Amino acid sequence: MEKRQADSTVTDNVKDCLELLEIVNDVKPTQNTEVCRQQEAQLLREPWQHPLLSPYPVEEFELPTSLQLQELPLFPQWHLPLKVMTSLMVSTFLYTLLRDVLQPLVTQSRNDSYKIPILVMNKVLPWTSITLLATVYLPGVLAAILQLCRGTKYGHFPGWLEKWMCVRKQLGLLSFLLAALHAIYSLSYPMRRSYRYKLLNWAYQQVQQNKDDAWVEDDVWRMEIYVSLGILGLGVLAVIAMSSLPSVSESFNWREFQCIQRTLGYLALLLCTTHTLVFGWRKWVEPKHYVWYTPPSFILASVLPAAVLLVKMVLSLPCLDRRLEQIRRGWERPHSQ
């Protein structure tokens, strides 16, 4: 009897709260708006958290069966970014596996499968990371080109572009995650048993060749610049990722938030792209790196980020940047469609 009365009390108060929300929001009960649906779902799922229902505190497991809703989908905004990341990782893994493991096995009968856990993965992670980072800023570039062509900002973007722009935050966070994993994998290189064996072999070969010094100036400079750019790029990505947290972003005004996300974002993309190119150094023109007539992974990884940066530089020219700023402030080209 007491349970029945408690269920009736909660149900009545939820209904009263829904009616009050309809009055406050000036929404008729017959209007099936998105706002109404969201508020009703929130009240039915968590009525104990609403101030209007605070005099009747109940736990979630005490809700009557009639108020239980179907489970909502988990992380709906992450579905597309995770699918994109998984597709990129699988394709880059297969490409790297073909070049670094299958090619030596077929042509030289050499088993290099030990490279898969660390060396192959440490090529897949940065390749996928920089590609995801480029996809964060590519839709903004496409939107700017579309606005310049239309001569107005009062037009809907294509549906695929709007959907793409809505998941840029998730793509950026996944890019930062993979970049951090890439840094950890790189730091683990000296701890590998295979690296120690190779180091001993190099030392033995140096003794056999009667070399007192194995110093290579060109290779030293390449590694120093390469590592430095990688650290800087990861640091800038960390700042951007932290600014995406709601508790942090709420402390910025719109101009500050835009400066961090846009200016620092393009700086991070520039640093990471330069990091990739310096890694290649002179491998661009050395035929031995084109295994089975396929280009090295760093070349393919730098194509999309370099294209985004190039288009952004063109859009930053004074003539285009000034017109784009006018369009975003409301200017329209005469007779624009």
Side-chain angles (χ1 to χ4, degrees), residues 78-333:
W78 289 86
H79 291 175
L80 179 59
L82 287 174
K83 289 179 182 179
V84 173
M85 185 191 71
T86 303
S87 302
L88 288 173
M89 290 192 70
V90 170
S91 58
T92 53
F93 177 80
L94 293 177
Y95 185 85
T96 308
L97 185 71
L98 174 68
R99 287 175 48 86
D100 294 0
V101 178
L102 293 182
Q103 193 272 342
L105 182 63
V106 173
T107 59
Q108 305 174 22
S109 298
R110 190 177 73 226
N111 185 9
D112 287 346
S113 57
Y114 72 92
K115 295 181 177 180
I116 295 177
I118 301 294
L119 296 178
V120 171
M121 285 301 300
N122 203 31
K123 289 185 178 180
V124 172
L125 292 174
W127 187 351
T128 308
S129 175
I130 195 172
T131 304
L132 289 176
L133 186 60
T135 59
V136 173
Y137 297 96
L138 180 58
V141 170
L142 296 177
I145 294 175
L146 196 58
Q147 287 179 340
L148 285 173
C149 294
R150 291 177 174 177
T152 179
K153 71 173 184 178
Y154 301 106
H156 293 289
F157 294 126
W160 58 269
L161 184 57
E162 290 184 354
K163 188 175 182 180
W164 189 354
M165 296 179 72
C166 289
V167 297
R168 288 181 296 177
K169 175 182 177 180
Q170 288 76 15
L171 292 172
L173 291 176
L174 291 176
S175 174
F176 170 68
L177 171 64
L178 297 182
L181 291 177
H182 168 56
I184 296 173
Y185 268 76
S186 299
L187 290 175
S188 69
Y189 272 17
M191 295 186 292
R192 296 178 301 124
R193 181 67 63 179
S194 59
Y195 178 83
R196 299 177 185 178
Y197 288 149
K198 283 191 174 183
L199 189 62
L200 292 174
N201 292 337
W202 293 334
Y204 177 76
Q205 293 173 4
Q206 182 179 343
V207 172
Q208 291 293 102
Q209 297 173 4
N210 294 323
K211 289 184 178 180
D212 296 331
D213 190 2
W215 184 276
V216 180
E217 189 76 16
D218 184 76
D219 197 42
V220 170
W221 275 103
R222 179 186 71 88
M223 184 59 67
E224 298 295 319
I225 299 174
Y226 160 72
V227 174
S228 178
L229 290 172
I231 295 173
L232 292 175
L234 182 60
V236 176
L237 281 177
V239 174
I240 299 172
M242 287 188 295
S243 67
S244 300
L245 298 175
S247 59
V248 179
S249 61
E250 289 176 357
S251 62
F252 300 128
N253 57 40
W254 172 247
R255 188 175 180 182
E256 293 170 343
F257 183 77
Q258 188 181 41
C259 177
I260 293 176
Q261 294 291 324
R262 180 180 296 179
T263 306
L264 290 185
Y266 279 108
L267 176 61
L269 184 61
L270 177 62
L271 289 172
C272 294
T273 305
T274 311
H275 168 75
T276 305
L277 297 178
V278 173
F279 171 79
W281 205 247
R282 296 180 179 176
K283 297 177 182 178
W284 294 83
V285 293
E286 295 179 357
K288 65 178 181 179
H289 295 289
Y290 290 82
V291 177
W292 279 347
Y293 303 101
T294 58
S297 58
F298 73 89
I299 294 180
L300 298 178
S302 58
V303 170
L304 183 60
V308 173
L309 290 172
L310 181 61
V311 176
K312 180 60 179 177
M313 290 175 59
V314 174
L315 293 175
S316 299
L317 295 175
C319 55
L320 296 178
D321 184 65
R322 191 181 305 111
R323 179 51 56 87
L324 188 59
E325 187 67 23
Q326 292 175 349
I327 292 174
R328 288 173 176 172
R329 290 181 179 179
W331 179 86
E332 293 186 80
R333 183 188 304 147

Side-chain angles (χ1 to χ4, degrees), residues 21-53:
L21 285 173
E22 291 173 358
I23 297 173
V24 172
N25 295 326
D26 194 20
V27 177
K28 296 180 181 179
T30 56
Q31 291 178 335
N32 189 18
T33 63
E34 185 65 24
V35 176
C36 263
R37 289 196 299 268
Q38 292 178 358
Q39 292 172 344
E40 183 177 355
Q42 180 68 19
L43 284 172
L44 291 177
R45 285 182 61 86
E46 301 175 350
W48 56 89
Q49 294 185 2
H50 199 278
L52 294 176
L53 298 180

Side-chain angles (χ1 to χ4, degrees), residues 60-83:
E60 185 175 5
F61 62 84
E62 295 177 354
L63 286 176
T65 308
S66 60
L67 295 181
Q68 297 293 335
L69 298 180
Q70 296 180 354
E71 292 186 0
L72 297 176
L74 292 175
F75 311 108
Q77 293 183 341
W78 289 86
H79 291 175
L80 179 59
L82 287 174
K83 289 179 182 179

